[in-house]
Every structure is written in structure tokens, then in C-alpha cells.
Amino acid sequence: MTAVPSGPAFSVHDIPFSTYGSWFDISPVVAEKTYAEDLHLVSHQNGMHAVLRLVPLDPGTGDRAETRVEASPGLLTWSGASGRIDLAYESPDTVRLRGSGLGLGVSAAAHALTPFSGTYFFHDPATDGHVFTSYETGRRYRVTVLSGTLAETAGAQTLGRAERGLAMAAEADGTWEIALDEFETARPPYASSAPFDDIVRSAQGAFADFADAVAPWRSSATPAAELAAYVLWSATVRPAGLVTRPAVLMSKHWMDKVWSWDHCFNALALAPGCPQLALDQFHLPFDHQDAGGALPDSVTHSEVLHNFVKPPIHGWTFGRLRRRLPMPPTPAELSEAYDRLARWNDFWLTARRAPGAQLAYYQHGNDSGWDNATTFDPERVVVTADLAAFLVLQMRELACLAGELRRRDEAARWTAAAEEMQAALLDRLWTGDRFVARGAGTGDTWSSASLLDLMPVVLGEHLPAEVGSALADYIKAHLTPHGLATELTTSPSYLADGYWRGPIWAPATVLVEDGLRRAGHQRLADDISARFRALCETHGFAENFDALTGTGLRDRAYTWTASSYLLLAEAHALRDGR
């Protein structure tokens, strides 16, 4: 068999080991900001749950062996003084493990079993498998011994509090192999599909094909592109529960949702190489659009939240998305997108405008995506310039779509509405020097040191030149050596790990860079792109980054960060002629 590149190495403390389509990963991250000593099988069905603990065992004592963990797409390895254990995904719901010179303990992560929680363990005579059944995930996890000796089991059929699990022994010849599969209620006895090495090569080949599809332009000048592709590939789950399509979760750590603006950046990054997957990302939140046209705040396997919304960047997104697809959308696809975008836009124009008002408002910082930005410090129910700008772009895209669909009256209506809202934006929120926010109920106005106040730069070529130049000058003040701080670092409200009160975020970077470029500020856009790409190449794909040190913060395997890197790196490579 032809050798397949193994792909980039990575730390499982930062990026979970998983595969395309799987709802579980192998990681020491077992809850928000919580790291276990050992790797666990962590499920993302019905929430994030550490189900099984995987412990390498010393062949002489049977105690926990000291090992180092190495991971690359397709293969995870524990290496110790006396041997190694390898793990690979045979399919999205099955992993194979083999050991040489080391044993392995597989045990329930939770010791307590109650009538409503925990993991029950038993031997199933029908399949000769040892089965863990989890209340939290509603799934079963079966261990089948393929070769070697089962050293012991503990806690089979035990109720209450107990250790539950099994251990594989390292025999004289030092080898053993097991399969661990996840299923719902019943499944035929496990049957091996291929030798272990073939499974590894198949997994590596599947990832290599994905990387070639989403980043064919990668080179030594874009050194993080392959790892960014892995973050996306490994965070993708197959349809299940309320997830109606193949979905790229924001992470297979604790940020294991699809939020209704995060998905836009993943769709854009995937569009040229994986067009159907890209369209699935764009449409997934729209599958849960409510009767009033609003998108949900987030979607998970078992939960759709409607307590907040997210900013209407979807018109901006779809305009870019359809230009990035290798084949233009069909009229039916355009019509579906148009109808969904129109209902989403109408939600803002009806449910989120005060009587007689021209501009829409957010009800909370969470609606903006910038949850705790200082723009929302004086009040939370606020008319902001970024929201108006996004709606203007969305209505311009709706006008374009309506024209292509030969709905001329609707095209004219959307064009007029966009022009009216932009005029209102400049009249009501532009002071001649900067944009301000306005209390939806009080009418009070204020400015802040938040980058959010400068987001109308997304209007790009539609901005009056003097407004675009003023915004560009303000944006320069937010630049640190690593990128755009979301709060001026000189602000008394700046916090190094303050979420949207300082750290660098990928979506703000992409939106600002795009707007500046379309407004003619190419040099500043190039600088922002270069700094963010260097940040990711040095510090990975964290949820956000310390603006002064570049250190990754919060969830360390965030897909919209990886996608934003891919978008900026691709554009740079194309501009540079590669």
C-alpha cells in the first residue's frame, strides 16, 4: 500500500483526537476548563460527558504506567518505558486499540451509579462484549477483545458506588488488541473490518483527502493550514438528534455547539473544496428558524436555544459563500436561501424595531455575539451601528438575490430599505467623528473603547470615504503585535482574559479585514491578516487570544478560528500568486 502522510502532530491537551462524523473524542479535557490526568472517551451527545477513562498499565505491577501521548490525524499513541498503546478510529463510532508491552484499563469515568445517572457495566453473553451503558449520553460502549488476555473485570452488574471496568494484560509476547464501539440499544457482535495498520492508513488518507480539498493552496508560507483543516475535520459530526445535517461543532471540547453566527465562517472556509458540507453549515441554524423568522442562539445534539439570537451577518456570508462555491447555486438553492434570509431580516425589522424607529436594537450583548463588550455597559437594550451595518449588507444581498430570481418588485423594495437604513445609520449614530450606541428606550447615546463600535467598516465600498478613513484610523489603535484587540489596551475596562473586553477574536478579524479591503484600505487589511495568521501559526486555534501576549485563551480547539485562518491564508496565497 502506498504510504499516506500522517499529517501534523498536535497536543491532545489543546486539540481532541477524533474523526470526521464521530460524536465522541479522546481527550483529557472532561469539562469546561477541566483537565484529567488520563485520556477519556468524551461524548457530545446530550451534552459533554466524560464516559470512559483509558489508563495505560505497567506490565509488572498493573499500576498506572507513566507515558507520553502523541497524536496526529489517524493515530494516537501512549509511549512508555516498556511499550506502547495505539488507538485509531475504524469508523465514526468505533475505535481500535492495540498494545505492546503495556496493559490498558478501561473504566467508567463516574464511580456513582444512581437510578438517573452514571454508567452501568456488564458482560453481554449474546455478543461476548463488555458493555458500559451511560445514563448521560443514552448510549452503550462495548469492549470486544480481539487478541490477548483480559486480566480482570471489576464492578460487573454492581449498583451504587463502585469501580467498573476491565483491564487488558501485557502478556509474555506483549501484544493485545480490542475494539471499542458506541451504539444505541443493540448491535451484532463486533467483526473486524481490517488489520490495525490498514485502519490507520485509511484514517490518515481520509484526512489527507479533506486537507487537499479545503487547502490545496497550502505551502511552507501557510504552515498552520493542515492543522486548521484537522480542527475542522475532527470536529465534524454526522446528523443526529436535533443536528439535522453534517455539522462542524465549534469544538469537541466544551464549546460543542453550533452558534448562529459561528457557523458562517466554517461555511466560508469549506465552500471551495467541500461545497455541500459548506451549504449544510450555512443552513443548519435555518432548519430551526422559528415562526417569527428568528434563528436560534445555538443548536446541539439535544437542545435548541432561543433565549438570544446572534447578529445578522448571514447576508454578508451568503454573498461571499456563493462566490466561493465551485458551481453557482441552482435557482432552487437561491430561492431557499432568499426565503430564509428574508424571514430572518424581517424578524429584525418587525420584532426588533421600536414603533416609528428606523434602526433595530439588540436586547442584550449576547444578541450581538460580543456578549460582554463595553458598548453594552451603560444599557443592554441598545441600537448599535454594527447591527445596522449588517442589516444593510443583508438587504443588499436580498436585493441581489431577488433580482436573480426575477422578483423585481422585491429587489427594488430591498434596495430602497437598505439605502434608507444606511441613511438612518449615518444620521442617527454617526457624530461626524465616530459611531455611537443609543439606548432603545432612553434615547441616550454613548461611545466606548470597544472594537464593536467600529464594525460598520463591514460596509466597505458603501461607506462614504471620510467615514471609512475615520474608522480605519480608529481600527489602527486596536492593533497589537498579534492582532485586533476587542477593547483598546489603554482602556480602564481592558481585561487580558476578559472575553470581548480585550482578547483577539477570529470573526471580528475577518469581518474588519474584509470591510477595510473593500473600502480601499488594502495595506491595513494586509497587516491585520498577517498578524492574525502569525498568531495562529504560533499559538494555535483558541477561542480567543490575549491581545498583548498572543496566548490562546478558553477553548483551545475552536473551529471558527481555524476557518478564519484558512480564509485569510488562502486569500494571502492567491494574492501572492501561489
Side-chain angles (χ1 to χ4, degrees):
M1 181 178 289
T2 304
V4 176
S6 61
F10 57 90
S11 167
V12 291
H13 279 77
D14 293 336
I15 300 172
F17 182 78
S18 192
T19 196
Y20 186 99
S22 182
W23 279 92
F24 67 82
D25 62 80
I26 308 299
S27 172
V29 181
V30 295
E32 182 175 356
K33 301 179 184 177
T34 304
Y35 293 77
E37 185 177 21
D38 291 301
L39 298 187
H40 284 63
L41 184 152
V42 181
S43 172
H44 300 275
Q45 299 190 73
N46 296 319
M48 180 185 184
H49 303 287
V51 181
L52 301 177
R53 184 170 61 251
L54 307 175
V55 183
L57 302 176
D58 182 275
T61 65
D63 296 332
R64 182 180 184 276
E66 290 298 320
T67 58
R68 68 179 184 276
V69 176
E70 299 169 319
S72 62
L75 182 65
L76 182 148
T77 299
W78 293 260
S79 297
S82 58
R84 62 183 282 161
I85 299 168
D86 294 323
L87 181 151
Y89 276 83
E90 181 176 352
S91 70
D93 61 20
T94 303
V95 292
R96 289 264 289 273
L97 298 100
R98 68 177 178 186
S100 174
L102 286 172
L104 178 72
V106 181
S107 59
H111 289 176
L113 177 65
T114 77
F116 305 104
S117 66
T119 302
Y120 176 59
F121 178 58
F122 64 96
H123 176 258
D124 183 5
T127 64
D128 196 26
H130 291 80
V131 179
F132 302 84
T133 180
S134 166
Y135 276 96
E136 284 72 20
T137 70
R139 302 297 183 273
R140 295 161 187 252
Y141 304 84
R142 178 178 63 187
V143 176
T144 302
V145 177
L146 306 181
S147 66
T149 301
L150 188 62
E152 62 176 344
T153 63
Q157 302 186 48
T158 301
L159 306 178
R161 189 172 183 86
E163 288 281 350
R164 297 174 176 82
L166 56 86
M168 293 299 298
E171 297 181 306
D173 65 359
T175 62
W176 53 265
E177 187 169 346
I178 61 174
L180 171 54
D181 59 342
E182 176 191 59
F183 55 95
E184 293 180 350
T185 307
R187 176 175 282 183
Y190 172 83
S192 175
S193 65
F196 189 92
D197 289 337
D198 287 353
I199 288 169
V200 173
R201 281 189 284 268
S202 177
Q204 291 170 340
F207 167 68
D209 290 344
F210 181 86
D212 287 343
V214 301
W217 40 263
R218 66 192 188 277
S219 70
S220 59
T222 54
E226 203 165 5
L227 187 57
Y230 177 75
V231 171
L232 288 174
W233 182 77
S234 63
T236 303
V237 295
R238 59 179 181 241
L242 296 170
V243 174
T244 51
R245 304 163 182 261
V248 181
L249 302 179
M250 292 312 103
S251 174
K252 279 186 182 169
H253 288 327
W254 59 86
M255 299 295 281
D256 55 353
K257 297 186 177 187
V258 176
W259 276 271
S260 292
W261 71 310
D262 308 44
H263 69 112
C264 292
F265 300 91
N266 290 341
L268 290 172
L270 292 167
C274 302
Q276 186 55 56
L277 184 60
L279 288 168
D280 284 334
Q281 301 324 295
F282 180 78
H283 281 291
L284 194 153
F286 286 94
D287 292 345
H288 297 281
Q289 197 167 18
D290 73 11
L295 297 184
D297 183 60
S298 62
V299 179
T300 68
H301 173 270
S302 305
E303 174 187 82
V304 178
L305 295 181
H306 286 276
N307 54 327
F308 294 106
V309 292
K310 284 292 174 275
I313 68 168
H314 302 83
W316 170 87
T317 301
F318 193 71
R320 293 193 68 185
L321 177 63
R322 62 198 188 104
R323 291 191 296 272
R324 289 178 57 78
L325 293 170
M327 294 290 291
T330 65
E333 290 171 331
L334 289 180
S335 181
E336 179 185 36
Y338 173 80
D339 292 342
R340 289 179 156 195
L341 283 171
R343 292 183 60 226
W344 174 222
N345 205 82
D346 285 343
F347 159 78
W348 289 96
L349 300 186
T350 54
R352 292 297 179 89
R353 285 203 295 194
Q358 295 172 293
L359 299 177
Y361 58 84
Y362 292 128
Q363 294 177 342
H364 186 280
N366 288 0
D367 286 340
S368 75
W370 296 52
D371 308 3
N372 65 337
T374 55
T375 299
F376 299 99
D377 280 359
E379 299 181 32
R380 258 61 63 197
V381 183
V382 179
V383 175
T384 64
D386 69 296
L387 175 54
F390 293 141
L391 288 171
V392 169
L393 291 179
Q394 188 152 277
M395 289 187 286
R396 290 188 182 279
E397 178 62 18
L398 283 164
C400 185
L401 289 169
E404 292 185 36
L405 293 167
R406 299 183 180 180
R407 304 182 189 185
R408 293 180 179 85
D409 291 346
E410 294 175 44
R413 177 170 63 84
W414 288 121
T415 298
E419 291 173 353
E420 289 170 8
M421 183 166 287
Q422 181 160 329
L425 165 64
L426 294 170
D427 178 60
R428 298 284 290 163
L429 299 181
W430 179 251
T431 66
D433 174 59
R434 63 181 304 130
F435 283 106
V436 295
R438 184 182 297 273
T442 65
D444 294 343
T445 62
W446 61 88
S447 61
S448 76
S450 175
L451 184 65
L452 183 62
D453 292 5
L454 310 180
M455 291 307 292
V457 75
V458 298
L459 287 169
E461 69 276 19
H462 304 296
L463 282 171
E466 65 277 11
V467 176
S469 295
L471 290 175
D473 288 341
Y474 282 119
I475 287 166
K476 289 175 189 175
H478 283 262
L479 263 180
T480 75
H482 306 287
L484 289 170
T486 47
E487 179 81 5
L488 287 174
T489 58
T490 55
S491 164
S493 299
Y494 173 83
L495 293 171
D497 187 9
Y499 225 50
W500 292 93
R501 302 171 80 91
I504 295 165
W505 285 79
T509 301
V510 170
L511 288 162
V512 168
E513 192 267 359
D514 176 68
L516 286 169
R517 199 172 294 285
R518 290 186 291 108
H521 298 277
Q522 306 288 344
R523 183 173 296 181
L524 180 56
D526 287 344
D527 191 11
I528 290 169
S529 171
R531 294 187 197 205
F532 185 79
R533 286 183 281 112
L535 174 67
C536 293
E537 288 160 5
T538 303
H539 294 283
F541 305 106
E543 184 181 354
N544 53 74
F545 302 86
D546 186 305
L548 296 178
T549 68
T551 302
L553 302 171
R554 310 293 176 116
D555 195 310
R556 300 297 298 273
Y558 215 78
T559 54
W560 75 356
T561 308
S563 287
S564 295
Y565 175 83
L566 290 171
L567 286 167
L568 295 173
E570 177 193 21
H572 171 68
L574 295 176
R575 284 194 302 271
D576 208 35
R578 280 188 291 271

